[in-house]
Short mmCIF file of all heavy atoms in Angstrom, two decimals:
data_model
loop_
_atom_site.label_atom_id
_atom_site.label_comp_id
_atom_site.label_asym_id
_atom_site.label_seq_id
_atom_site.Cartn_x
_atom_site.Cartn_y
_atom_site.Cartn_z
N THR L 1 26.08 102.95 66.88
CA THR L 1 27.04 101.85 66.67
C THR L 1 26.45 100.50 67.03
O THR L 1 26.99 99.46 66.64
CB THR L 1 28.31 102.09 67.52
OG1 THR L 1 27.92 102.30 68.89
CG2 THR L 1 29.07 103.30 67.02
N VAL L 2 25.36 100.50 67.77
CA VAL L 2 24.68 99.25 68.14
C VAL L 2 23.37 99.11 67.38
O VAL L 2 23.01 98.01 66.92
CB VAL L 2 24.41 99.21 69.66
CG1 VAL L 2 23.58 97.98 70.02
CG2 VAL L 2 25.71 99.21 70.44
N ALA L 3 22.64 100.21 67.22
CA ALA L 3 21.31 100.16 66.60
C ALA L 3 21.38 99.69 65.15
O ALA L 3 20.56 98.85 64.71
CB ALA L 3 20.65 101.53 66.68
N VAL L 4 22.35 100.21 64.39
CA VAL L 4 22.45 99.82 62.97
C VAL L 4 22.74 98.33 62.82
O VAL L 4 22.05 97.62 62.06
CB VAL L 4 23.50 100.67 62.23
CG1 VAL L 4 23.73 100.13 60.82
CG2 VAL L 4 23.06 102.13 62.16
N PRO L 5 23.76 97.78 63.54
CA PRO L 5 23.99 96.33 63.45
C PRO L 5 22.77 95.53 63.88
O PRO L 5 22.47 94.47 63.30
CB PRO L 5 25.16 96.10 64.41
CG PRO L 5 25.88 97.41 64.46
CD PRO L 5 24.82 98.45 64.34
N ARG L 6 22.05 96.03 64.90
CA ARG L 6 20.85 95.31 65.36
C ARG L 6 19.79 95.28 64.27
O ARG L 6 19.17 94.25 64.01
CB ARG L 6 20.29 95.98 66.62
CG ARG L 6 19.06 95.26 67.18
CD ARG L 6 18.42 96.05 68.30
NE ARG L 6 19.35 96.24 69.40
CZ ARG L 6 19.65 97.44 69.92
NH1 ARG L 6 19.11 98.53 69.42
NH2 ARG L 6 20.50 97.53 70.93
N HIS L 7 19.56 96.44 63.62
CA HIS L 7 18.59 96.49 62.53
C HIS L 7 18.97 95.50 61.42
O HIS L 7 18.11 94.78 60.89
CB HIS L 7 18.53 97.90 61.92
CG HIS L 7 17.94 98.93 62.83
ND1 HIS L 7 16.96 98.65 63.74
CD2 HIS L 7 18.20 100.27 62.96
CE1 HIS L 7 16.63 99.75 64.40
NE2 HIS L 7 17.38 100.75 63.93
N ILE L 8 20.24 95.46 61.08
CA ILE L 8 20.71 94.57 60.02
C ILE L 8 20.53 93.10 60.42
O ILE L 8 20.07 92.27 59.63
CB ILE L 8 22.18 94.86 59.68
CG1 ILE L 8 22.29 96.20 58.95
CG2 ILE L 8 22.79 93.73 58.83
CD1 ILE L 8 23.71 96.63 58.67
N ALA L 9 20.86 92.78 61.67
CA ALA L 9 20.72 91.40 62.15
C ALA L 9 19.27 90.96 62.12
O ALA L 9 18.95 89.83 61.69
CB ALA L 9 21.29 91.28 63.55
N ILE L 10 18.38 91.84 62.56
CA ILE L 10 16.95 91.50 62.56
C ILE L 10 16.45 91.34 61.13
O ILE L 10 15.68 90.41 60.82
CB ILE L 10 16.15 92.59 63.31
CG1 ILE L 10 16.45 92.51 64.82
CG2 ILE L 10 14.65 92.45 63.05
CD1 ILE L 10 15.82 93.61 65.64
N TYR L 11 16.88 92.23 60.25
CA TYR L 11 16.49 92.13 58.83
C TYR L 11 16.96 90.80 58.23
O TYR L 11 16.19 90.12 57.54
CB TYR L 11 17.11 93.30 58.06
CG TYR L 11 16.95 93.20 56.56
CD1 TYR L 11 15.77 93.59 55.93
CD2 TYR L 11 17.99 92.69 55.77
CE1 TYR L 11 15.63 93.48 54.55
CE2 TYR L 11 17.85 92.58 54.39
CZ TYR L 11 16.66 92.98 53.79
OH TYR L 11 16.52 92.87 52.43
N LEU L 12 18.20 90.42 58.50
CA LEU L 12 18.72 89.16 57.97
C LEU L 12 17.99 87.96 58.55
O LEU L 12 17.78 86.95 57.86
CB LEU L 12 20.22 89.06 58.26
CG LEU L 12 21.12 90.00 57.44
CD1 LEU L 12 22.56 89.95 57.97
CD2 LEU L 12 21.08 89.63 55.96
N CYS L 13 17.58 88.04 59.81
CA CYS L 13 16.81 86.94 60.41
C CYS L 13 15.48 86.76 59.68
O CYS L 13 15.04 85.63 59.47
CB CYS L 13 16.55 87.23 61.90
SG CYS L 13 18.01 87.04 62.94
N ARG L 14 14.88 87.88 59.32
CA ARG L 14 13.61 87.80 58.59
C ARG L 14 13.81 87.22 57.19
O ARG L 14 12.99 86.44 56.69
CB ARG L 14 12.98 89.20 58.49
CG ARG L 14 11.68 89.27 57.71
CD ARG L 14 10.61 88.38 58.30
NE ARG L 14 9.32 88.64 57.72
CZ ARG L 14 8.26 87.86 57.88
NH1 ARG L 14 8.37 86.78 58.62
NH2 ARG L 14 7.11 88.16 57.33
N GLU L 15 14.92 87.59 56.54
CA GLU L 15 15.18 87.17 55.17
C GLU L 15 15.70 85.75 55.06
O GLU L 15 15.40 85.04 54.10
CB GLU L 15 16.18 88.13 54.51
CG GLU L 15 15.65 89.54 54.28
CD GLU L 15 14.50 89.58 53.30
OE1 GLU L 15 14.66 89.06 52.18
OE2 GLU L 15 13.43 90.11 53.65
N LEU L 16 16.49 85.31 56.05
CA LEU L 16 17.23 84.05 55.90
C LEU L 16 16.72 82.91 56.77
O LEU L 16 17.21 81.78 56.65
CB LEU L 16 18.72 84.29 56.22
CG LEU L 16 19.44 85.35 55.38
CD1 LEU L 16 20.90 85.49 55.83
CD2 LEU L 16 19.37 85.00 53.90
N THR L 17 15.79 83.19 57.68
CA THR L 17 15.28 82.13 58.54
C THR L 17 13.77 82.02 58.41
O THR L 17 13.13 82.86 57.80
CB THR L 17 15.64 82.38 60.03
OG1 THR L 17 14.76 83.38 60.57
CG2 THR L 17 17.08 82.83 60.18
N GLU L 18 13.23 80.98 59.02
CA GLU L 18 11.78 80.78 59.02
C GLU L 18 11.15 81.23 60.34
O GLU L 18 10.00 80.90 60.63
CB GLU L 18 11.47 79.29 58.77
CG GLU L 18 12.04 78.74 57.48
CD GLU L 18 11.54 79.47 56.25
OE1 GLU L 18 10.47 80.09 56.34
OE2 GLU L 18 12.22 79.44 55.22
N TYR L 19 11.91 81.97 61.16
CA TYR L 19 11.37 82.44 62.43
C TYR L 19 10.29 83.48 62.20
O TYR L 19 10.38 84.31 61.28
CB TYR L 19 12.49 83.05 63.28
CG TYR L 19 13.43 82.05 63.93
CD1 TYR L 19 14.41 81.41 63.17
CD2 TYR L 19 13.34 81.75 65.28
CE1 TYR L 19 15.27 80.48 63.74
CE2 TYR L 19 14.20 80.82 65.86
CZ TYR L 19 15.16 80.20 65.09
OH TYR L 19 16.01 79.28 65.66
N SER L 20 9.25 83.47 63.04
CA SER L 20 8.22 84.49 62.98
C SER L 20 8.76 85.80 63.56
O SER L 20 9.81 85.81 64.22
CB SER L 20 6.98 84.06 63.77
OG SER L 20 7.28 84.03 65.16
N LEU L 21 8.06 86.89 63.35
CA LEU L 21 8.49 88.18 63.88
C LEU L 21 8.55 88.15 65.40
O LEU L 21 9.46 88.72 66.01
CB LEU L 21 7.55 89.28 63.40
CG LEU L 21 7.52 89.52 61.88
CD1 LEU L 21 6.54 90.63 61.54
CD2 LEU L 21 8.90 89.86 61.36
N ASP L 22 7.57 87.51 66.01
CA ASP L 22 7.56 87.41 67.48
C ASP L 22 8.76 86.61 67.99
O ASP L 22 9.39 86.96 68.99
CB ASP L 22 6.26 86.76 67.96
CG ASP L 22 5.06 87.68 67.78
OD1 ASP L 22 5.27 88.91 67.80
OD2 ASP L 22 3.95 87.18 67.63
N GLU L 23 9.08 85.52 67.27
CA GLU L 23 10.22 84.68 67.67
C GLU L 23 11.54 85.43 67.50
O GLU L 23 12.44 85.32 68.35
CB GLU L 23 10.23 83.39 66.84
CG GLU L 23 9.11 82.44 67.20
CD GLU L 23 8.98 81.29 66.22
OE1 GLU L 23 9.43 81.43 65.07
OE2 GLU L 23 8.42 80.24 66.61
N ILE L 24 11.64 86.21 66.44
CA ILE L 24 12.85 87.02 66.25
C ILE L 24 12.98 88.03 67.37
O ILE L 24 14.06 88.24 67.92
CB ILE L 24 12.80 87.73 64.88
CG1 ILE L 24 12.90 86.70 63.75
CG2 ILE L 24 13.94 88.76 64.76
CD1 ILE L 24 12.68 87.29 62.36
N GLY L 25 11.87 88.65 67.72
CA GLY L 25 11.89 89.63 68.82
C GLY L 25 12.37 89.02 70.12
O GLY L 25 13.14 89.65 70.87
N GLU L 26 11.95 87.80 70.39
CA GLU L 26 12.38 87.11 71.62
C GLU L 26 13.89 86.90 71.63
O GLU L 26 14.55 86.98 72.66
CB GLU L 26 11.66 85.76 71.75
CG GLU L 26 10.22 85.85 72.21
CD GLU L 26 10.13 86.45 73.61
OE1 GLU L 26 10.91 86.05 74.49
OE2 GLU L 26 9.27 87.34 73.82
N GLU L 27 14.45 86.62 70.45
CA GLU L 27 15.89 86.37 70.34
C GLU L 27 16.71 87.65 70.44
O GLU L 27 17.94 87.60 70.55
CB GLU L 27 16.20 85.67 69.01
CG GLU L 27 15.58 84.30 68.85
CD GLU L 27 16.23 83.27 69.77
OE1 GLU L 27 17.39 83.47 70.16
OE2 GLU L 27 15.57 82.26 70.09
N PHE L 28 16.05 88.79 70.37
CA PHE L 28 16.74 90.07 70.49
C PHE L 28 16.27 90.83 71.73
O PHE L 28 15.84 91.97 71.68
CB PHE L 28 16.52 90.91 69.23
CG PHE L 28 17.37 90.49 68.07
CD1 PHE L 28 16.95 89.46 67.24
CD2 PHE L 28 18.59 91.10 67.80
CE1 PHE L 28 17.73 89.04 66.17
CE2 PHE L 28 19.38 90.68 66.73
CZ PHE L 28 18.95 89.65 65.91
N GLY L 29 16.35 90.14 72.85
CA GLY L 29 16.05 90.78 74.13
C GLY L 29 14.59 90.96 74.43
O GLY L 29 14.21 91.84 75.21
N GLY L 30 13.73 90.17 73.80
CA GLY L 30 12.30 90.25 74.09
C GLY L 30 11.61 91.43 73.44
O GLY L 30 10.63 91.96 73.98
N ARG L 31 12.09 91.87 72.29
CA ARG L 31 11.46 92.99 71.58
C ARG L 31 10.11 92.57 71.02
O ARG L 31 9.92 91.44 70.61
CB ARG L 31 12.38 93.48 70.45
CG ARG L 31 13.54 94.30 70.97
CD ARG L 31 14.52 94.71 69.88
NE ARG L 31 15.34 95.82 70.35
CZ ARG L 31 16.34 95.70 71.21
NH1 ARG L 31 16.65 94.49 71.68
NH2 ARG L 31 17.02 96.75 71.60
N ASP L 32 9.18 93.54 70.99
CA ASP L 32 7.84 93.21 70.52
C ASP L 32 7.76 93.23 68.99
O ASP L 32 8.69 93.65 68.29
CB ASP L 32 6.78 94.13 71.12
CG ASP L 32 6.98 95.61 70.75
OD1 ASP L 32 7.57 95.88 69.69
OD2 ASP L 32 6.54 96.47 71.52
N HIS L 33 6.62 92.76 68.52
CA HIS L 33 6.35 92.59 67.10
C HIS L 33 6.59 93.89 66.32
O HIS L 33 7.24 93.90 65.27
CB HIS L 33 4.89 92.13 66.97
CG HIS L 33 4.45 91.84 65.58
ND1 HIS L 33 3.96 92.80 64.73
CD2 HIS L 33 4.41 90.67 64.89
CE1 HIS L 33 3.64 92.24 63.59
NE2 HIS L 33 3.89 90.95 63.65
N SER L 34 6.07 95.01 66.81
CA SER L 34 6.16 96.28 66.08
C SER L 34 7.60 96.79 66.01
O SER L 34 8.00 97.41 65.02
CB SER L 34 5.26 97.34 66.73
OG SER L 34 5.62 97.55 68.08
N THR L 35 8.39 96.53 67.06
CA THR L 35 9.79 96.96 67.06
C THR L 35 10.59 96.18 66.01
O THR L 35 11.45 96.74 65.33
CB THR L 35 10.41 96.75 68.45
OG1 THR L 35 9.63 97.44 69.42
CG2 THR L 35 11.84 97.26 68.50
N VAL L 36 10.30 94.90 65.88
CA VAL L 36 10.97 94.08 64.88
C VAL L 36 10.64 94.59 63.48
O VAL L 36 11.52 94.74 62.63
CB VAL L 36 10.56 92.59 65.02
CG1 VAL L 36 11.11 91.77 63.86
CG2 VAL L 36 11.06 92.03 66.35
N ILE L 37 9.36 94.88 63.24
CA ILE L 37 8.94 95.41 61.94
C ILE L 37 9.63 96.74 61.65
O ILE L 37 10.07 97.00 60.52
CB ILE L 37 7.41 95.60 61.89
CG1 ILE L 37 6.71 94.23 61.86
CG2 ILE L 37 6.99 96.43 60.68
CD1 ILE L 37 5.22 94.31 61.83
N SER L 38 9.76 97.58 62.67
CA SER L 38 10.42 98.87 62.50
C SER L 38 11.87 98.70 62.06
O SER L 38 12.36 99.42 61.18
CB SER L 38 10.36 99.66 63.81
OG SER L 38 11.04 100.88 63.70
#
């Protein structure tokens, strides 16, 4: 119930913003590059 919305939010950040993968990870609790890609 949390993981799916998180995946969707991260995906939308990649599609709709100019943030790098590392920057997106920081905005989601400090997740690393590979977790964001996953």
Side-chain angles (χ1 to χ4, degrees):
T1 54
V2 174
V4 172
R6 182 188 300 126
H7 291 328
I8 289 175
I10 289 175
Y11 171 82
L12 289 171
C13 287
R14 178 59 169 168
E15 292 296 306
L16 302 179
T17 77
E18 303 300 338
Y19 285 76
S20 68
L21 296 180
D22 289 333
E23 289 170 337
I24 292 172
E26 283 298 315
E27 296 290 336
F28 282 84
R31 284 175 162 75
D32 61 26
H33 183 274
S34 59
T35 304
V36 172
I37 289 179
S38 177

